[in-house]
Amino acid sequence: GGTEQPPARKWHFQGPFGTYDRAAAQRGFQVYQEVCAACHSLSLVAYRNLTDLGLTENQVKGLIKDISVPDLNDDGAPVDRPARPSDRFKKPFPNLAAAAAANNGKAPPDLSVIVKARQYGPDFIYGILTGYVPYDKLTPEQIKEFDVKKDDNFNKYFPGHKIAMAPPLSDDKVTYADGTKATLDQEAADVTEFLAWASEPHMEDRKRTGVRVILFLLALAGLMYAVKRMVWADKH
Ligand code: HEM
């Protein structure tokens, strides 16, 4: 059959009162940093934005102390200089052609807004990361229908099934700083939480504003009703 729809999961950030699970997002940042960042850029996020996730300014400075980024000097000549907290995350490849060349012709997409950009959002990202099926577990029908070769990566949830990304995660791919057991599921859920935060860091403000607006409108409706009763009251 065709591509499966990723199963719907419960996310901490769902719903009108949902917030990001900061601990999960911090673990997810560790996964991004240690695994995904080798291939995927996150070019809309700056290092200092990580203080939103609960990192201190000193932790952010520590994180970038060995990173140098391309810039121009006063004469307009290209130079490398130490990264600053206000810099966006450094890209793993200088340009799209280099990114594609290093990945069998398919450039890994930027992950800044991937959670927003793909149908089924976080369920899709989690689904991709956990949805690989090894060649020897495929049915002969699947192999035939999708023309799967031994070296292909078959993913249940990727449109067309064949994906240029080899399975990036597995049990114990990372050792979590907070001691959480790093199963494949845990890593996938955590990096999805992190990427959801990256795609909309001000979501919590937006929802808080929404709640205040509704409360204000309720109060205003009550006031209007009282005023209407007064204005239209029978005088005797
Ligand atoms: C594609 C996430 C690690 C290379 C994708 C897609 C996602 C993703 C969600 C699908 C995007 C779409 O729908 O178009 C991640 C995450 C990673 C990770 C969260 C870390 C846990 C890696 C690594 C590499 C890589 C380490 C390189 C060795 C690629 C490539 C594609 C891709 C080449 C394009 C696949 C295609 O279009 O067929 N990644 N990735 N990824 N990723 Fe990753």
Side-chain angles (χ1 to χ4, degrees):
T3 311
E4 284 177 51
Q5 177 175 333
R9 289 173 59 86
K10 284 249 175 304
W11 297 100
H12 197 272
F13 47 85
Q14 257 170 357
F17 305 104
T19 55
Y20 296 116
D21 177 339
R22 291 288 185 287
Q26 282 195 25
R27 287 192 300 272
F29 168 61
Q30 194 187 337
V31 175
Y32 169 76
Q33 180 91 329
E34 292 181 17
V35 184
C36 328
C39 301
H40 290 276
S41 57
L42 194 67
S43 57
L44 297 181
V45 182
Y47 296 114
R48 64 177 169 196
N49 297 144
L50 293 168
T51 55
D52 261 29
L53 282 188
L55 274 72
T56 63
E57 280 178 35
N58 278 333
Q59 282 175 314
V60 172
K61 283 186 187 145
L63 199 75
I64 63 177
K65 69 177 188 323
D66 297 325
I67 302 177
S68 65
V69 296
D71 202 348
L72 303 176
N73 68 13
D74 290 345
D75 302 326
V79 287
D80 279 335
R81 61 155 176 83
R84 296 191 278 258
S86 56
D87 284 322
R88 304 288 178 88
F89 279 36
K90 189 179 179 173
K91 296 178 165 69
F93 301 104
N95 55 55
L96 214 63
N103 289 281
N104 299 314
K106 280 261 186 162
D110 186 86
L111 296 182
S112 304
V113 295
I114 199 85
V115 170
K116 299 284 177 188
R118 292 293 177 268
Q119 192 180 14
Y120 309 118
D123 296 329
F124 173 76
I125 309 305
Y126 174 88
I128 289 291
L129 297 171
T130 54
Y132 286 90
V133 185
Y135 185 84
D136 56 19
K137 293 271 158 59
L138 293 171
T139 64
E141 292 75 37
Q142 283 172 317
I143 292 174
K144 188 154 177 293
E145 183 177 356
F146 299 104
D147 188 28
V148 188
K149 305 276 186 296
K150 269 219 151 51
D151 294 341
D152 288 335
N153 306 299
F154 186 96
N155 195 296
K156 278 190 277 188
Y157 306 116
F158 192 68
H161 290 306
K162 284 197 282 188
I163 182 165
M165 170 169 71
L169 297 176
S170 52
D171 291 346
D172 297 314
K173 186 80 186 183
V174 300
T175 305
Y176 278 130
D178 70 2
T180 302
K181 196 168 154 42
T183 61
L184 167 63
D185 278 8
Q186 183 75 45
E187 294 161 1
D190 289 344
V191 77
T192 303
E193 188 91 15
F194 169 69
L195 292 174
W197 167 80
S199 73
E200 199 187 352
H202 301 298
M203 175 201 72
E204 289 153 340
D205 281 344
R206 173 170 68 73
K207 288 179 179 175
R208 262 194 300 274
T209 302
V211 169
R212 287 188 193 127
V213 165
I214 298 295
L215 290 176
F216 170 78
L217 288 173
L218 283 174
L220 187 69
L223 183 69
M224 286 307 194
Y225 182 66
V227 168
K228 178 255 175 205
R229 299 260 304 187
M230 265 165 70
V231 168
W232 293 88
D234 282 335
K235 302 263 170 25
H236 27 236

